[in-house]
Amino acid sequence: MASIKPSAFVAAFVAILALVMTSCTISYKLNGSAINYDLYKTINITEFPIRAALVYPPLQQEFQNQLMDAVTRQTRLQITDGNADAEMTGEITGYSLSPQAVGEDAYATETRLTITVRVKYTDHVNPANSIDQSFSAYRQFSASLLLIDVQDDLCREISEELVDLIFNATLGNW
């Protein structure tokens, strides 16, 4: 059996390592976005009015604050009024309750709160990235609880999920 000289092994290893290092680049994006900040500097986020049949007024502010916080925390984009490199507009189109699980007595044992938001994201730098899409999220709660007692927490949790979905579909560029 032929033996491999240690110097030949080291030389081969270094050659392979050099080839790999020059042909591949590793990129980490710790903020969750894939934005080219040489091209994108600003974003305009308008109010998201509630256009749903059932209205819970604090929802608009909760959703709006979470959306702006996410953009501020996860990107270096400046939120501005007027002309911007990207624009996000939309409306809260759905706020609905529906029974989910039915107990032995034919009454609902769980209720689902669903919130739907329509978002129009316009990318003025690269129009191919623009979208006009609806996003929905929900939470279930025991039907023995009153909506008024759980509504604030549910709206916060659902808004958080919606903002994540919207961010990933627009600024995340997954």
Side-chain angles (χ1 to χ4, degrees):
M1 182 177 227
S3 65
I4 299 175
K5 293 182 181 179
S7 60
F9 177 74
V10 171
F13 179 75
V14 170
I16 291 171
L17 185 62
L19 181 63
V20 169
M21 295 290 283
T22 59
S23 65
C24 297
T25 59
I26 298 172
S27 173
Y28 294 101
K29 293 177 177 40
L30 300 176
N31 64 0
S33 66
I35 298 169
N36 181 346
Y37 292 109
D38 294 331
L39 301 175
Y40 297 89
K41 307 269 188 238
T42 58
I43 186 168
N44 179 11
I45 300 174
T46 65
E47 287 188 12
F48 280 68
I50 299 175
R51 304 267 191 254
L54 183 60
V55 176
Y56 180 58
L59 173 61
Q60 179 182 359
Q61 194 64 45
E62 177 69 36
F63 175 78
Q64 191 79 24
N65 288 345
Q66 285 198 29
L67 182 60
M68 293 180 118
D69 286 349
V71 170
T72 302
R73 264 190 339 271
Q74 298 180 45
T75 74
R76 291 183 288 171
L77 295 174
Q78 291 294 116
I79 297 175
T80 182
D81 291 331
N83 293 337
D85 299 317
E87 183 177 4
M88 202 176 297
T89 62
E91 57 194 2
I92 299 168
T93 57
Y95 186 90
S96 62
L97 294 167
S98 58
Q100 290 305 302
V102 179
E104 294 173 7
D105 56 1
Y107 287 104
T109 58
E110 286 195 343
T111 303
R112 177 180 288 181
L113 173 62
T114 304
I115 298 174
T116 304
V117 178
R118 182 179 161 262
V119 175
K120 183 176 181 188
Y121 173 75
T122 306
D123 186 328
H124 296 291
V125 175
N126 184 2
N129 291 336
S130 298
I131 65 166
D132 189 346
Q133 183 177 338
S134 289
F135 299 87
S136 289
Y138 66 86
R139 291 291 183 275
Q140 289 184 193
F141 62 98
S142 172
S144 65
L145 298 172
L146 295 174
L147 176 61
I148 195 164
D149 294 333
V150 296
Q151 194 164 219
D152 287 336
D153 289 338
L154 294 174
C155 286
R156 186 183 79 269
E157 292 172 14
I158 295 171
S159 291
E160 215 172 276
E161 183 176 338
L162 287 168
V163 165
D164 286 345
L165 291 170
I166 292 164
F167 185 89
N168 289 338
T170 56
L171 301 172
N173 287 333
W174 301 104

